[in-house]
Amino acid sequence: MKKIHLIGMIMIGIAIYLIITAGGEVATYANFDDARGTEGKVKVVGHLVKDKEIVYDELKDPNYFTFYMVDDNKEERKVILNQGKPQDFELSEQIVLTGKMEGDEFLASEILLKCPSKYKDEEVYLKNEKG
Amino acid sequence: MDEIQYIGEHLLPGQIGRLTIILSFVASFLATIAYYFAEQKKESAEASNWLKMGRFGYIVHGLSLFVTIGCIFYVMYFRMYEYQYAQLHVSDDLEMKYILSAFWEGQEGSFLLWMFWHVILGFILIRVAKNWEAPVMSVLSLVQFFIGSMVLGVYIFETKIGANPLMMLRDTMNIPLFAQADYVDLLNGNGLNPLLQNYWMTIHPPTLFLGFASTTIPFCYAIAGLWNGKHDEMLKVSFPWALFSGAILGTGILMGGAWAYEALTFGGYWAWDPVENASLVPWILIVAGIHTHLVARATGHSIRSTYLFYLMTFFFILYSTFLTRSGVLGETSVHAFTEMGLERQLLVFTAFFFIVPLAIFFVKQKSIPRIEKEEALASKEFWMFIGSLVLLFSACLITASTSLPVYNKIAELFQPGFDGYVIQDPVEHHNKYQLWIGVFIGLLTGAAQFFRFKEANWGAISKKYFIHLGITLMIAAILTFAAAQWINVYAWQYQILLFSGIFAVVTNLDYLITFIRGNLKVAGSVISHVGFGLMIVGILASGLNKEHISTDPFTQRGLLNEEMLKRNVILFEGKPALLNDYEITYQGNSMNANLRTYDINFKKLGEEGKVLEDFTVHPTAQFDNKLVKVAAYNPSTKHYLDKDIFTHIATLPKKEADREEAQKMEDSLNYRIIEVPLGSEMTFVDTLVLSDTTMINRFLLSIESVIPNATHPDYEPKEKDLAIGAKIKIQQLGKPENYEANPVAVLRNNLVYTYPIQINDLAFKVKLPTSFFDKVFATEMNLEYQNFELKEGDAINFNGYEVQLEQVARDPKHPNYQPEKDDIAVGAILKVTKNGESKSEFVQPIYLIRKMNPMMIKDKLAADGLNFQFTKIDPTTGKMSIGIAQSEANMTYPIELSTNSLRTDYIVFEAIIFPGINFFWAGSIMMMFGLAMSWIRRRFELKR
């Protein structure tokens, strides 16, 4: 057997091993219920509850932001994010949170928003509309 | 709808452009066929005719494409919004320096940019490729044919083929506006996405697309080589093209990283975003191809691999195009193009260039020469091949992870309602694997450099090899130890990576000095490999040690986990904050076009508060094209040799960030009209109800004076304006601070404009109501002045006051008088004493001649209601005419005041130190520079 084949086989072996271990790093989006049962961090997907309070008072604490999110199971939870409020937060169609449950609240370390594209809408700007 | 005769449309550029799109599409097909026959029948007499026809076809193709692009620029430059592409990408207020960016903002424009580079490269090939012209150009023309179909915009059997960039707006949507014959006059454009309005958008896409286009050339040569079987010659002539491609594509990717770092606020140059990965994979593959290519040329090994690498590189360019433009990435990427309904066409395109080249390869591969004897363990070719395999492995891992959304899509086809899988933490995921790739590459580039190709005499040089290896290992170990202290590398995995990076630098420098003796002609590889090593050091230094300045200085480091790390601080205008050895002050801001720039001063403090360093950063907030809302915050970075301080605004007060929100908040303010006395204080009571407690705050209010010709930061004076201000003093009872507000009301064309003042510390907003104006004028109109002729020293009695003309002063100084050039001004200093009192007060009305016009500036004693004016000077007698009038004493004026007006004088700010980031930039630039050097050298070699 050639050395090159040997090395090739070792690499394939490593690749298979990596794919198996990487399985732990991929997951479907979780919901709050899954998050309660998990030790580590999970990604939870859901929507902003628009009629509940969204708290961000930068004058009090620029790193404290809370809101309510409802997941795909219709479970509603308060979310705490120790960061500033993301831009265009209220416009979001979907929210993806990374974090874990702490008691009844979800402590998020990261937030991703899916926003409707601002520049795709079917509106035509007319001259007199412009400010 | 009936046919409408539209007015004001410019139809000609669209007609020309649409025609040339089709012409160029057809011509590329003609060129493909003609070049094909020129190669197939090259032994026969007709070959030269086919070749001429192919050339003609390609030149027509290229020129038509230029005309198409010209037409698009024409409609964009003249803002013909009747064209959809112009309407979508430019607007009246878009600066013309962004027209290039606007052109390739859309998918159609970027396809055209890609084709444009293919045309340029094709024209060069026609000149230089000689007997390779026919097969290479045939393949290139075929590629152009496929890309050309993307901008065709025709329907074949109900299927849309491509999106035409010269569509009329009225053909793309059906809205009532188009019932108006003169709709063109009413249109305005959307303009360029404000996030893309920077110079990176001007230089990054063309470089990246030249990189994309350049990978096509080695691909075309590979197909041509398989086709005509002249493998050795193919390897020789295509080598410079491969090196060129590696350098340009790499530069294009780097520019993307630099853009992210310089202009976006996520604080980094690489995020393992699918779009970034999609362009990185082809680059890794072409670099692997360059290495096997070198082996193939030197030894005859690895020819097959070289072919496969070039075929794969181009395929992955198409795959990345598919990923970024089909919408399949969905929410996993932050910067994919918007969807256009061309997914299937893209899929066909990509699949074609996967299947057909591979089929050609397997049919023709028997003709590729191979060496049966295995590479020796102690030879360069063996280790270079291993290196290429590691690169391929890296590309496979990245692709496998990046393609997750594609598997999800496929799974969904078979199992509707399938929940897609996502990678939990892509950055960690990729870093974990690519770390080991980096280790292997670092060690290989170091250890393999000293081997020689086709080593026949290993025994004789092995001693020398091991001596060099031993010494470089030792030096690298010592440097790693030192560097690990500097950049705090604790995890052993990172220490190994650091070591391999440094080892690559040390060995390659050793190789440069002792083996090639500083011969710069062949130093391209050394420079690239040293660059790679430095890049690793830079990635570790900046990635592991980024440190927030803008964090709470009192929290113990390490006690907080990631969720709890406070990243942002609030800075109040003019009030320094002490944060981690820096005194940071938000000094103010200014608006220019749609950019508001903030000045934030940093002072680095040493022991005993000594200022070691003083600099100001200028992060900006970029507003959308209608100036309503902040569209993006742009960072500002202070660069040092050994670190960067990266700063940006995280949040602005709502009122500052969003004009609509500001209006809403202004509307919700509860203004009260208060009669405030002139010259004396009144008490104002504010009750604040907080659930069960009521807080009562008392304030002292007074108007110190009424100011004619007042100024205000937001007020731009115009001629015939009448601007009156009030100088208002406010003090909270029991607090030492005194606040002054100078709101202004302006009468312009019978309308009153009011300019309010916000007192941030009290959350007060003060403005002058229209009734303020009325009061000022009514008072003035109702005054009846009594005239007195006085000489210096004269005194008269008026309504119980003694008024004495103390002195007539030239160039008088008075708060109501602002001197101008060539003024002739005289002030009458009057001493006023109330009968029976000993205390006197002074007033100074002024007589003024400005531009030949006599004017008077009055003065008053507000508390007593006395008004004074200086009406005339009689030069012959030396007597002054002084008018005195009594108005009601203790005059009050109405002002409007709202409490609870949120403050606006602050920003939420983030500042991060990236140590050693210049190693990353310097290293990666060296990598590209080394590739470019090799390219130039190989080009000259070919010419000789």
Side-chain angles (χ1 to χ4, degrees):
Chain A
M1 193 163 52
K2 282 187 180 181
K3 292 178 295 270
I4 220 81
H5 292 148
L6 193 70
I7 288 165
M9 279 165 67
I10 292 171
M11 278 183 152
I12 291 166
I14 296 172
I16 291 170
Y17 170 75
L18 289 181
I19 287 165
I20 292 165
T21 53
E25 288 173 30
V26 294
T28 53
Y29 284 131
N31 50 39
F32 288 124
D33 198 40
D34 302 329
R36 247 190 306 278
T38 320
E39 272 292 293
K41 284 189 197 171
V42 288
K43 271 193 157 77
V44 179
V45 69
H47 306 270
L48 173 68
V49 181
K50 296 212 166 154
D51 48 7
K52 287 243 170 126
E53 56 176 0
I54 299 170
V55 178
Y56 181 62
D57 184 355
E58 60 270 36
L59 288 168
K60 237 181 242 158
D61 185 348
N63 296 296
Y64 184 80
F65 172 47
T66 68
F67 58 94
Y68 286 83
M69 186 175 98
V70 57
D71 69 8
D72 292 345
N73 260 357
K74 305 272 176 271
E75 186 179 341
E76 200 178 293
R77 287 287 155 207
K78 186 175 181 181
V79 178
I80 298 174
L81 185 71
N82 282 299
Q83 283 175 27
K85 180 174 154 184
Q87 242 187 307
D88 294 330
F89 178 75
E90 284 87 352
L91 297 175
S92 67
E93 287 175 340
Q94 194 185 42
I95 301 171
V96 183
L97 297 171
T98 312
K100 57 183 182 227
M101 291 298 288
E102 294 242 311
D104 281 346
E105 293 163 344
F106 189 85
L107 184 63
S109 59
E110 224 175 289
I111 185 167
L112 249 175
L113 303 177
K114 196 180 172 194
C115 287
S117 173
K118 277 179 265 179
Y119 298 91
K120 241 178 72 184
D121 39 5
E122 284 267 302
E123 78 181 279
V124 178
Y125 289 128
L126 300 184
K127 287 204 169 154
N128 51 3
E129 274 181 13
K130 300 251 309 182
Chain B
M1 205 187 292
D2 291 328
E3 280 295 307
I4 300 174
Q5 287 296 312
Y6 288 113
I7 306 164
E9 286 185 337
H10 307 78
L11 297 176
L12 190 64
Q15 285 158 349
I16 295 173
R18 284 190 296 269
L19 183 75
T20 50
I21 285 175
I22 293 174
L23 184 62
S24 111
F25 178 68
V26 173
S28 67
F29 185 68
L30 174 78
T32 310
I33 299 297
Y35 273 129
Y36 174 82
F37 283 113
E39 175 64 13
Q40 283 300 80
K41 308 197 169 184
K42 63 184 159 197
E43 307 303 339
S44 76
E46 42 184 303
S48 72
N49 284 338
W50 283 117
L51 191 72
K52 272 183 206 153
M53 198 202 270
R55 259 183 210 174
F56 173 75
Y58 199 81
I59 289 168
V60 169
H61 160 75
L63 296 181
S64 317
L65 190 83
F66 292 165
V67 173
T68 307
I69 292 172
C71 287
I72 297 172
F73 272 112
Y74 183 81
V75 301
M76 287 173 84
Y77 185 83
F78 290 103
R79 297 186 170 92
M80 298 173 179
Y81 301 125
E82 58 269 38
Y83 290 94
Q84 186 203 18
Y85 204 74
Q87 204 272 330
L88 281 177
H89 301 292
V90 290
S91 60
D92 283 354
D93 47 14
L94 186 74
E95 293 173 70
M96 266 306 124
K97 65 179 177 187
Y98 293 127
I99 193 167
L100 289 173
S101 308
F103 173 73
W104 45 66
E105 181 194 21
Q107 286 220 29
E108 299 92 327
S110 64
F111 274 126
L112 288 168
L113 174 62
W114 190 8
M115 290 176 79
F116 170 82
W117 287 124
H118 277 151
V119 168
I120 300 290
L121 295 175
F123 284 174
I124 294 170
L125 281 168
I126 289 174
R127 282 190 69 91
V128 303
K130 302 202 177 74
N131 55 341
W132 285 88
E133 180 186 342
V136 168
M137 289 300 296
S138 175
V139 182
L140 183 59
S141 305
L142 186 66
V143 173
Q144 287 290 75
F145 174 75
F146 271 89
I147 308 178
S149 73
M150 293 290 164
V151 289
L152 212 49
V154 296
Y155 285 83
I156 297 174
F157 304 122
E158 310 273 300
T159 312
K160 186 179 163 198
I161 305 287
N164 193 309
L166 281 158
M167 293 277 275
M168 304 298 288
L169 185 62
R170 59 182 155 87
D171 292 334
T172 63
M173 54 171 82
N174 191 5
I175 53 173
L177 179 71
F178 300 124
Q180 274 172 267
D182 60 346
Y183 78 96
V184 174
D185 275 349
L186 304 171
L187 285 175
N188 195 354
N190 274 9
L192 178 64
N193 184 338
L195 298 178
L196 304 177
Q197 291 181 18
N198 59 48
Y199 63 93
W200 292 106
M201 183 63 186
T202 312
I203 59 172
H204 167 63
T207 315
L208 191 66
F209 276 99
L210 176 58
F212 280 11
S214 68
T215 62
T216 314
I217 310 303
F219 167 80
C220 293
Y221 270 104
I223 297 285
L226 292 169
W227 185 355
N228 65 15
K230 292 189 244 171
H231 305 291
D232 277 342
E233 200 187 319
M234 190 290 286
L235 288 173
K236 195 173 149 212
V237 291
S238 65
F239 199 34
W241 286 104
L243 289 163
F244 170 72
S245 183
I248 294 292
L249 182 59
T251 307
I253 296 169
L254 264 184
M255 279 182 178
W259 178 358
Y261 181 65
E262 284 293 317
L264 305 179
T265 53
F266 78 82
Y269 45 82
W270 194 261
W272 293 110
D273 185 281
V275 172
E276 297 167 356
N277 298 347
S279 56
L280 179 66
V281 166
W283 184 77
I284 292 177
L285 290 171
I286 199 147
V287 168
I290 286 168
H291 283 83
T292 54
H293 198 150
L294 205 61
V295 171
R297 291 205 56 200
T299 68
H301 286 284
S302 303
I303 301 179
R304 264 156 235 269
S305 323
T306 308
Y307 271 112
L308 281 173
F309 276 127
Y310 291 156
L311 298 187
M312 273 192 290
T313 302
F314 181 64
F315 164 71
F316 274 101
I317 291 283
L318 297 184
Y319 184 63
S320 95
T321 308
F322 170 73
L323 284 181
T324 49
R325 290 167 188 257
S326 67
V328 68
L329 292 177
E331 71 255 41
T332 60
S333 169
V334 290
H335 45 47
F337 279 91
T338 48
E339 290 164 54
M340 275 181 46
L342 298 178
E343 302 86 66
R344 284 178 189 202
Q345 201 183 343
L346 278 164
L347 195 61
V348 170
F349 185 10
T350 312
F352 178 88
F353 280 97
F354 181 65
I355 296 164
V356 174
L358 269 189
I360 295 175
F361 177 80
F362 284 113
V363 170
K364 297 283 190 173
Q365 63 141 343
K366 284 200 197 75
S367 74
I368 302 172
R370 72 189 315 165
I371 298 172
E372 283 310 318
K373 190 173 160 290
E374 207 185 341
E375 299 96 327
L377 198 58
S379 69
K380 206 167 198 158
E381 58 267 30
F382 179 77
W383 293 106
M384 275 174 79
F385 184 71
I386 298 295
S388 302
L389 280 187
V390 173
L391 288 174
L392 174 65
F393 193 66
S394 160
C396 289
L397 287 178
I398 298 171
T399 306
S401 308
T402 309
S403 302
L404 209 53
V406 179
Y407 316 142
N408 288 340
K409 267 265 152 48
I410 295 169
E412 238 179 87
L413 288 181
F414 294 105
Q415 188 191 332
F418 170 80
D419 273 348
Y421 284 99
V422 284
I423 298 170
Q424 297 274 358
D425 186 345
V427 173
E428 194 191 303
H429 166 87
H430 284 286
N431 282 348
K432 198 165 87 189
Y433 298 132
Q434 299 305 318
L435 182 143
W436 296 108
I437 303 289
V439 169
F440 278 119
I441 297 295
L443 295 178
L444 284 171
T445 55
Q449 196 66 288
F450 298 113
F451 288 116
R452 296 188 295 194
F453 283 121
K454 291 195 269 191
E455 183 58 72
N457 200 7
W458 172 241
I461 68 150
S462 63
K463 195 175 156 206
K464 190 177 172 194
Y465 176 81
F466 283 116
I467 289 172
H468 274 275
L469 192 66
I471 293 171
T472 46
L473 276 173
M474 234 161 62
I475 296 173
I478 293 166
L479 287 176
T480 304
F481 182 76
Q485 304 302 312
W486 170 53
I487 54 177
N488 305 319
V489 181
Y490 301 123
W492 61 272
Q493 295 94 330
Y494 290 137
Q495 286 174 348
I496 291 180
L497 181 60
L498 182 65
F499 172 78
S500 79
I502 291 175
F503 179 65
V505 174
V506 174
T507 44
N508 276 286
L509 288 176
D510 178 29
Y511 179 70
L512 179 72
I513 295 161
T514 53
F515 283 73
I516 57 177
R517 293 170 208 285
N519 182 353
L520 285 176
K521 252 173 37 195
V522 292
S525 84
V526 172
I527 289 173
S528 284
H529 290 143
V530 168
F532 177 80
L534 291 178
M535 186 179 87
I536 295 284
V537 175
I539 289 171
L540 283 170
S542 61
L544 291 178
N545 290 284
K546 72 173 192 184
E547 192 182 315
H548 274 81
I549 300 177
S550 58
T551 193
D552 193 340
F554 304 113
T555 45
Q556 200 75 44
R557 190 163 301 153
L559 283 181
L560 290 170
N561 51 16
E562 190 195 345
E563 294 91 68
M564 301 301 289
L565 176 73
K566 310 260 185 233
R567 298 174 186 178
N568 304 326
V569 289
I570 194 158
L571 296 177
F572 292 102
E573 190 169 350
K575 292 182 182 151
L578 195 61
L579 293 164
N580 299 310
D581 301 340
Y582 286 92
E583 185 188 291
I584 304 176
T585 317
Y586 161 38
Q587 294 176 318
N589 65 69
S590 55
M591 188 86 176
N592 183 9
N594 64 346
L595 211 59
R596 193 177 278 282
T597 305
Y598 291 79
D599 303 324
I600 294 149
N601 179 263
F602 278 64
K603 284 190 177 65
K604 188 169 181 146
L605 302 180
E607 279 170 41
E608 293 158 21
K610 222 171 70 191
V611 178
L612 301 176
E613 212 193 326
D614 187 329
F615 61 90
T616 305
V617 292
H618 306 279
T620 59
Q622 190 169 10
F623 284 77
D624 61 17
N625 296 336
K626 288 161 140 190
L627 298 180
V628 174
K629 266 183 80 170
V630 170
Y633 296 110
N634 302 320
S636 170
T637 305
K638 167 83 177 166
H639 298 280
Y640 296 86
L641 208 55
D642 64 330
K643 67 173 183 233
D644 276 4
I645 295 178
F646 175 87
T647 71
H648 70 93
I649 290 167
T651 312
L652 286 178
K654 256 195 196 146
K655 280 195 228 172
E656 295 282 292
D658 186 336
R659 214 168 60 183
E660 281 165 9
E661 197 65 34
Q663 193 55 51
K664 249 190 259 166
M665 291 169 86
E666 178 70 32
D667 291 347
S668 74
L669 289 181
N670 188 10
Y671 280 106
R672 274 177 283 178
I673 293 196
I674 305 169
E675 289 285 338
V676 182
L678 182 71
S680 64
E681 286 169 337
M682 67 166 290
T683 312
F684 165 73
V685 182
D686 179 40
T687 49
L688 194 65
V689 183
L690 289 168
S691 61
D692 49 350
T693 15
T694 306
M695 276 171 42
I696 298 175
N697 288 317
R698 287 169 207 283
F699 300 91
L700 290 177
L701 281 181
S702 68
I703 295 180
E704 197 156 88
S705 61
V706 174
I707 308 163
N709 300 321
T711 57
H712 184 279
D714 297 337
Y715 164 55
E716 284 168 33
K718 278 192 185 166
E719 239 181 287
K720 292 186 184 165
D721 273 0
L722 201 57
I724 297 189
K727 188 171 176 182
I728 302 168
K729 292 258 174 179
I730 305 175
Q731 185 181 18
Q732 186 169 3
L733 267 180
K735 295 256 175 90
E737 293 90 5
N738 251 309
Y739 299 97
E740 187 185 306
N742 298 306
V744 172
V746 176
L747 183 69
R748 178 182 291 169
N749 301 330
N750 290 327
L751 285 174
V752 175
Y753 299 87
T754 180
Y755 293 88
I757 290 287
Q758 165 96 14
I759 304 172
N760 282 311
D761 289 347
L762 302 175
F764 275 14
K765 197 159 189 178
V766 193
K767 62 183 186 185
L768 300 176
T770 316
S771 54
F772 174 84
F773 243 105
D774 299 342
K775 185 91 180 230
V776 171
F777 284 111
T779 315
E780 201 60 38
M781 298 295 275
N782 295 334
L783 287 179
E784 283 175 15
Y785 282 93
Q786 197 178 333
N787 249 322
F788 298 94
E789 306 274 316
L790 298 174
K791 273 205 285 209
E792 256 180 49
D794 286 357
I796 48 104
N797 250 310
F798 177 84
N799 291 5
Y801 294 90
E802 190 196 69
V803 180
Q804 186 181 20
L805 178 59
E806 278 258 308
Q807 198 195 339
V808 178
R810 284 193 165 269
D811 300 324
K813 288 190 176 56
H814 192 277
N816 290 355
Y817 168 56
Q818 271 137 8
E820 279 182 24
K821 212 172 152 256
D822 299 326
D823 274 359
I824 299 168
V826 183
I829 299 176
L830 300 168
K831 180 175 161 192
V832 184
T833 320
K834 197 168 183 177
N835 287 352
E837 285 181 16
S838 58
K839 210 174 102 238
S840 302
E841 287 187 83
F842 290 90
V843 291
Q844 184 179 214
I846 292 167
Y847 183 78
L848 168 69
I849 296 173
R850 179 173 288 172
K851 292 180 188 140
M852 313 291 282
N853 293 320
M855 298 164 80
M856 293 175 298
I857 295 169
K858 54 179 278 189
D859 201 357
K860 58 170 69 173
L861 278 179
D864 304 280
L866 290 179
N867 298 268
F868 301 89
Q869 58 184 21
F870 186 176
T871 51
K872 218 164 64 188
I873 302 175
D874 191 339
T876 51
T877 58
K879 283 194 169 171
M880 317 289 148
S881 293
I882 302 290
I884 308 178
Q886 171 108 50
S887 59
E888 82 187 79
N890 297 322
M891 207 42 214
T892 63
Y893 289 98
I895 66 164
E896 276 188 287
L897 189 148
S898 173
T899 58
N900 213 0
S901 168
L902 291 180
R903 62 190 306 154
T904 55
D905 61 333
Y906 66 89
I907 55 173
V908 178
F909 183 67
E910 183 173 20
I912 311 170
I913 299 180
F914 285 103
I917 194 159
N918 281 341
F919 278 111
F920 172 78
W921 297 120
S924 47
I925 290 166
M926 275 172 77
M927 260 161 76
M928 303 314 148
F929 185 72
L931 279 166
M933 268 178 74
S934 305
W935 163 55
I936 289 163
R937 179 178 153 243
R938 299 285 173 171
R939 242 188 73 72
F940 278 113
E941 203 178 71
L942 205 60
K943 276 193 175 162
R944 244 183 277 128

